[in-house]
PDB file of all heavy atoms in Angstrom:
ATOM      1  N   GLY A  36      98.031  83.177 149.751  1.00 91.00           N
ATOM      2  CA  GLY A  36      98.552  81.847 149.537  1.00 91.00           C
ATOM      3  C   GLY A  36     100.001  81.862 149.102  1.00 91.00           C
ATOM      4  O   GLY A  36     100.526  80.914 148.513  1.00 91.00           O
ATOM      5  N   GLY A  37     100.700  82.950 149.311  1.00 87.00           N
ATOM      6  CA  GLY A  37     102.086  83.030 148.942  1.00 87.00           C
ATOM      7  C   GLY A  37     102.364  83.379 147.462  1.00 87.00           C
ATOM      8  O   GLY A  37     103.419  83.123 146.953  1.00 87.00           O
ATOM      9  N   GLY A  38     101.380  84.020 146.848  1.00 92.00           N
ATOM     10  CA  GLY A  38     101.511  84.403 145.446  1.00 92.00           C
ATOM     11  C   GLY A  38     102.434  85.593 145.251  1.00 92.00           C
ATOM     12  O   GLY A  38     103.132  86.004 146.159  1.00 92.00           O
ATOM     13  N   MET A  39     102.421  86.107 144.076  1.00 96.00           N
ATOM     14  CA  MET A  39     103.311  87.189 143.700  1.00 96.00           C
ATOM     15  C   MET A  39     102.901  88.505 144.355  1.00 96.00           C
ATOM     16  O   MET A  39     101.681  88.720 144.671  1.00 96.00           O
ATOM     17  CB  MET A  39     103.267  87.450 142.209  1.00 96.00           C
ATOM     18  CG  MET A  39     103.939  86.338 141.460  1.00 96.00           C
ATOM     19  SD  MET A  39     104.113  86.707 139.632  1.00 96.00           S
ATOM     20  CE  MET A  39     102.471  86.494 139.012  1.00 96.00           C
ATOM     21  N   THR A  40     103.822  89.422 144.525  1.00 97.00           N
ATOM     22  CA  THR A  40     103.511  90.767 144.945  1.00 97.00           C
ATOM     23  C   THR A  40     102.874  91.537 143.777  1.00 97.00           C
ATOM     24  O   THR A  40     102.991  91.113 142.577  1.00 97.00           O
ATOM     25  CB  THR A  40     104.763  91.545 145.435  1.00 97.00           C
ATOM     26  OG1 THR A  40     105.640  91.761 144.315  1.00 97.00           O
ATOM     27  CG2 THR A  40     105.462  90.815 146.546  1.00 97.00           C
ATOM     28  N   VAL A  41     102.266  92.657 144.050  1.00 98.00           N
ATOM     29  CA  VAL A  41     101.767  93.537 143.001  1.00 98.00           C
ATOM     30  C   VAL A  41     102.846  93.895 142.029  1.00 98.00           C
ATOM     31  O   VAL A  41     102.680  93.810 140.832  1.00 98.00           O
ATOM     32  CB  VAL A  41     101.007  94.748 143.593  1.00 98.00           C
ATOM     33  CG1 VAL A  41     100.689  95.765 142.497  1.00 98.00           C
ATOM     34  CG2 VAL A  41      99.806  94.324 144.381  1.00 98.00           C
ATOM     35  N   ALA A  42     103.987  94.298 142.484  1.00 98.00           N
ATOM     36  CA  ALA A  42     105.168  94.648 141.652  1.00 98.00           C
ATOM     37  C   ALA A  42     105.551  93.491 140.780  1.00 98.00           C
ATOM     38  O   ALA A  42     105.847  93.642 139.570  1.00 98.00           O
ATOM     39  CB  ALA A  42     106.317  95.120 142.481  1.00 98.00           C
ATOM     40  N   GLU A  43     105.555  92.301 141.319  1.00 97.00           N
ATOM     41  CA  GLU A  43     105.910  91.095 140.539  1.00 97.00           C
ATOM     42  C   GLU A  43     104.849  90.780 139.452  1.00 97.00           C
ATOM     43  O   GLU A  43     105.159  90.422 138.332  1.00 97.00           O
ATOM     44  CB  GLU A  43     106.058  89.894 141.451  1.00 97.00           C
ATOM     45  CG  GLU A  43     107.290  89.901 142.313  1.00 97.00           C
ATOM     46  CD  GLU A  43     107.323  88.884 143.402  1.00 97.00           C
ATOM     47  OE1 GLU A  43     106.275  88.402 143.840  1.00 97.00           O
ATOM     48  OE2 GLU A  43     108.439  88.580 143.846  1.00 97.00           O
ATOM     49  N   HIS A  44     103.532  91.003 139.808  1.00 98.00           N
ATOM     50  CA  HIS A  44     102.459  90.845 138.811  1.00 98.00           C
ATOM     51  C   HIS A  44     102.684  91.819 137.636  1.00 98.00           C
ATOM     52  O   HIS A  44     102.589  91.457 136.481  1.00 98.00           O
ATOM     53  CB  HIS A  44     101.122  91.053 139.410  1.00 98.00           C
ATOM     54  CG  HIS A  44     100.560  89.905 140.162  1.00 98.00           C
ATOM     55  ND1 HIS A  44     100.061  88.778 139.493  1.00 98.00           N
ATOM     56  CD2 HIS A  44     100.348  89.712 141.455  1.00 98.00           C
ATOM     57  CE1 HIS A  44      99.584  87.939 140.393  1.00 98.00           C
ATOM     58  NE2 HIS A  44      99.777  88.450 141.599  1.00 98.00           N
ATOM     59  N   LEU A  45     102.993  93.077 137.935  1.00 98.00           N
ATOM     60  CA  LEU A  45     103.191  94.089 136.917  1.00 98.00           C
ATOM     61  C   LEU A  45     104.408  93.767 136.027  1.00 98.00           C
ATOM     62  O   LEU A  45     104.374  93.909 134.806  1.00 98.00           O
ATOM     63  CB  LEU A  45     103.340  95.491 137.500  1.00 98.00           C
ATOM     64  CG  LEU A  45     102.069  95.994 138.233  1.00 98.00           C
ATOM     65  CD1 LEU A  45     102.343  97.227 138.973  1.00 98.00           C
ATOM     66  CD2 LEU A  45     100.919  96.226 137.186  1.00 98.00           C
ATOM     67  N   ALA A  46     105.502  93.303 136.652  1.00 97.00           N
ATOM     68  CA  ALA A  46     106.656  92.930 135.859  1.00 97.00           C
ATOM     69  C   ALA A  46     106.332  91.728 134.969  1.00 97.00           C
ATOM     70  O   ALA A  46     106.747  91.644 133.822  1.00 97.00           O
ATOM     71  CB  ALA A  46     107.826  92.590 136.788  1.00 97.00           C
ATOM     72  N   HIS A  47     105.546  90.781 135.515  1.00 96.00           N
ATOM     73  CA  HIS A  47     105.140  89.664 134.743  1.00 96.00           C
ATOM     74  C   HIS A  47     104.218  89.994 133.550  1.00 96.00           C
ATOM     75  O   HIS A  47     104.483  89.501 132.458  1.00 96.00           O
ATOM     76  CB  HIS A  47     104.470  88.593 135.645  1.00 96.00           C
ATOM     77  CG  HIS A  47     103.940  87.463 134.917  1.00 96.00           C
ATOM     78  ND1 HIS A  47     104.740  86.425 134.415  1.00 96.00           N
ATOM     79  CD2 HIS A  47     102.650  87.097 134.612  1.00 96.00           C
ATOM     80  CE1 HIS A  47     104.003  85.489 133.825  1.00 96.00           C
ATOM     81  NE2 HIS A  47     102.734  85.916 133.937  1.00 96.00           N
ATOM     82  N   ILE A  48     103.273  90.841 133.811  1.00 97.00           N
ATOM     83  CA  ILE A  48     102.357  91.276 132.700  1.00 97.00           C
ATOM     84  C   ILE A  48     103.173  91.828 131.540  1.00 97.00           C
ATOM     85  O   ILE A  48     103.010  91.434 130.414  1.00 97.00           O
ATOM     86  CB  ILE A  48     101.377  92.337 133.219  1.00 97.00           C
ATOM     87  CG1 ILE A  48     100.308  91.674 134.127  1.00 97.00           C
ATOM     88  CG2 ILE A  48     100.672  93.042 132.085  1.00 97.00           C
ATOM     89  CD1 ILE A  48      99.459  92.681 134.873  1.00 97.00           C
ATOM     90  N   THR A  49     104.029  92.785 131.837  1.00 97.00           N
ATOM     91  CA  THR A  49     104.860  93.457 130.782  1.00 97.00           C
ATOM     92  C   THR A  49     105.865  92.481 130.185  1.00 97.00           C
ATOM     93  O   THR A  49     106.015  92.431 128.972  1.00 97.00           O
ATOM     94  CB  THR A  49     105.523  94.699 131.356  1.00 97.00           C
ATOM     95  OG1 THR A  49     104.522  95.593 131.842  1.00 97.00           O
ATOM     96  CG2 THR A  49     106.355  95.397 130.303  1.00 97.00           C
ATOM     97  N   GLY A  50     106.477  91.654 131.003  1.00 95.00           N
ATOM     98  CA  GLY A  50     107.447  90.673 130.507  1.00 95.00           C
ATOM     99  C   GLY A  50     106.833  89.679 129.556  1.00 95.00           C
ATOM    100  O   GLY A  50     107.464  89.225 128.615  1.00 95.00           O
ATOM    101  N   THR A  51     105.537  89.315 129.868  1.00 94.00           N
ATOM    102  CA  THR A  51     104.901  88.282 128.999  1.00 94.00           C
ATOM    103  C   THR A  51     104.605  88.893 127.610  1.00 94.00           C
ATOM    104  O   THR A  51     104.737  88.230 126.593  1.00 94.00           O
ATOM    105  CB  THR A  51     103.644  87.785 129.663  1.00 94.00           C
ATOM    106  OG1 THR A  51     103.996  87.224 130.906  1.00 94.00           O
ATOM    107  CG2 THR A  51     102.869  86.811 128.804  1.00 94.00           C
ATOM    108  N   VAL A  52     104.122  90.160 127.613  1.00 95.00           N
ATOM    109  CA  VAL A  52     103.872  90.845 126.274  1.00 95.00           C
ATOM    110  C   VAL A  52     105.195  90.837 125.490  1.00 95.00           C
ATOM    111  O   VAL A  52     105.214  90.534 124.301  1.00 95.00           O
ATOM    112  CB  VAL A  52     103.371  92.266 126.479  1.00 95.00           C
ATOM    113  CG1 VAL A  52     103.326  93.034 125.227  1.00 95.00           C
ATOM    114  CG2 VAL A  52     101.942  92.223 127.124  1.00 95.00           C
ATOM    115  N   LYS A  53     106.276  91.179 126.166  1.00 94.00           N
ATOM    116  CA  LYS A  53     107.607  91.281 125.504  1.00 94.00           C
ATOM    117  C   LYS A  53     108.030  89.899 125.019  1.00 94.00           C
ATOM    118  O   LYS A  53     108.460  89.700 123.904  1.00 94.00           O
ATOM    119  CB  LYS A  53     108.601  91.883 126.432  1.00 94.00           C
ATOM    120  CG  LYS A  53     109.984  91.974 125.812  1.00 94.00           C
ATOM    121  CD  LYS A  53     110.974  92.683 126.763  1.00 94.00           C
ATOM    122  CE  LYS A  53     112.370  92.608 126.281  1.00 94.00           C
ATOM    123  NZ  LYS A  53     113.331  93.278 127.172  1.00 94.00           N
ATOM    124  N   HIS A  54     107.923  88.917 125.927  1.00 91.00           N
ATOM    125  CA  HIS A  54     108.387  87.542 125.608  1.00 91.00           C
ATOM    126  C   HIS A  54     107.727  86.944 124.356  1.00 91.00           C
ATOM    127  O   HIS A  54     108.349  86.520 123.437  1.00 91.00           O
ATOM    128  CB  HIS A  54     108.165  86.607 126.805  1.00 91.00           C
ATOM    129  CG  HIS A  54     108.327  85.180 126.508  1.00 91.00           C
ATOM    130  ND1 HIS A  54     109.590  84.612 126.440  1.00 91.00           N
ATOM    131  CD2 HIS A  54     107.462  84.193 126.261  1.00 91.00           C
ATOM    132  CE1 HIS A  54     109.485  83.323 126.163  1.00 91.00           C
ATOM    133  NE2 HIS A  54     108.193  83.057 126.033  1.00 91.00           N
ATOM    134  N   TRP A  55     106.363  86.969 124.413  1.00 90.00           N
ATOM    135  CA  TRP A  55     105.663  86.386 123.283  1.00 90.00           C
ATOM    136  C   TRP A  55     105.781  87.304 121.983  1.00 90.00           C
ATOM    137  O   TRP A  55     105.864  86.837 120.898  1.00 90.00           O
ATOM    138  CB  TRP A  55     104.200  86.160 123.600  1.00 90.00           C
ATOM    139  CG  TRP A  55     104.014  85.065 124.581  1.00 90.00           C
ATOM    140  CD1 TRP A  55     103.569  85.150 125.854  1.00 90.00           C
ATOM    141  CD2 TRP A  55     104.327  83.669 124.328  1.00 90.00           C
ATOM    142  NE1 TRP A  55     103.589  83.890 126.451  1.00 90.00           N
ATOM    143  CE2 TRP A  55     104.047  82.980 125.573  1.00 90.00           C
ATOM    144  CE3 TRP A  55     104.822  82.960 123.331  1.00 90.00           C
ATOM    145  CZ2 TRP A  55     104.218  81.606 125.675  1.00 90.00           C
ATOM    146  CZ3 TRP A  55     105.056  81.584 123.423  1.00 90.00           C
ATOM    147  CH2 TRP A  55     104.695  80.919 124.607  1.00 90.00           C
ATOM    148  N   GLY A  56     105.815  88.597 122.214  1.00 88.00           N
ATOM    149  CA  GLY A  56     106.030  89.494 121.069  1.00 88.00           C
ATOM    150  C   GLY A  56     107.322  89.313 120.372  1.00 88.00           C
ATOM    151  O   GLY A  56     107.434  89.476 119.165  1.00 88.00           O
ATOM    152  N   MET A  57     108.355  88.910 121.119  1.00 87.00           N
ATOM    153  CA  MET A  57     109.655  88.683 120.462  1.00 87.00           C
ATOM    154  C   MET A  57     109.603  87.422 119.578  1.00 87.00           C
ATOM    155  O   MET A  57     110.420  87.332 118.686  1.00 87.00           O
ATOM    156  CB  MET A  57     110.732  88.488 121.551  1.00 87.00           C
ATOM    157  CG  MET A  57     111.105  89.762 122.165  1.00 87.00           C
ATOM    158  SD  MET A  57     112.436  89.855 123.432  1.00 87.00           S
ATOM    159  CE  MET A  57     113.034  88.227 123.610  1.00 87.00           C
ATOM    160  N   GLU A  58     108.639  86.596 119.769  1.00 88.00           N
ATOM    161  CA  GLU A  58     108.449  85.453 118.819  1.00 88.00           C
ATOM    162  C   GLU A  58     107.895  85.955 117.498  1.00 88.00           C
ATOM    163  O   GLU A  58     108.087  85.282 116.486  1.00 88.00           O
ATOM    164  CB  GLU A  58     107.512  84.412 119.466  1.00 88.00           C
ATOM    165  CG  GLU A  58     107.978  83.768 120.756  1.00 88.00           C
ATOM    166  CD  GLU A  58     109.225  82.950 120.547  1.00 88.00           C
ATOM    167  OE1 GLU A  58     109.352  82.276 119.525  1.00 88.00           O
ATOM    168  OE2 GLU A  58     110.091  82.962 121.481  1.00 88.00           O
ATOM    169  N   LEU A  59     107.269  87.098 117.481  1.00 83.00           N
ATOM    170  CA  LEU A  59     106.731  87.653 116.281  1.00 83.00           C
ATOM    171  C   LEU A  59     107.795  88.578 115.603  1.00 83.00           C
ATOM    172  O   LEU A  59     108.106  88.442 114.432  1.00 83.00           O
ATOM    173  CB  LEU A  59     105.495  88.509 116.550  1.00 83.00           C
ATOM    174  CG  LEU A  59     104.909  89.285 115.374  1.00 83.00           C
ATOM    175  CD1 LEU A  59     104.360  88.305 114.321  1.00 83.00           C
ATOM    176  CD2 LEU A  59     103.762  90.200 115.871  1.00 83.00           C
TER     177      LEU A  59
END
Side-chain angles (χ1 to χ4, degrees):
M39 293 190 282
T40 65
V41 169
E43 290 168 336
H44 279 288
L45 294 170
H47 175 73
I48 288 170
T49 299
T51 300
V52 170
K53 180 178 174 180
H54 169 79
W55 289 115
M57 286 182 1
E58 299 293 324
L59 176 64

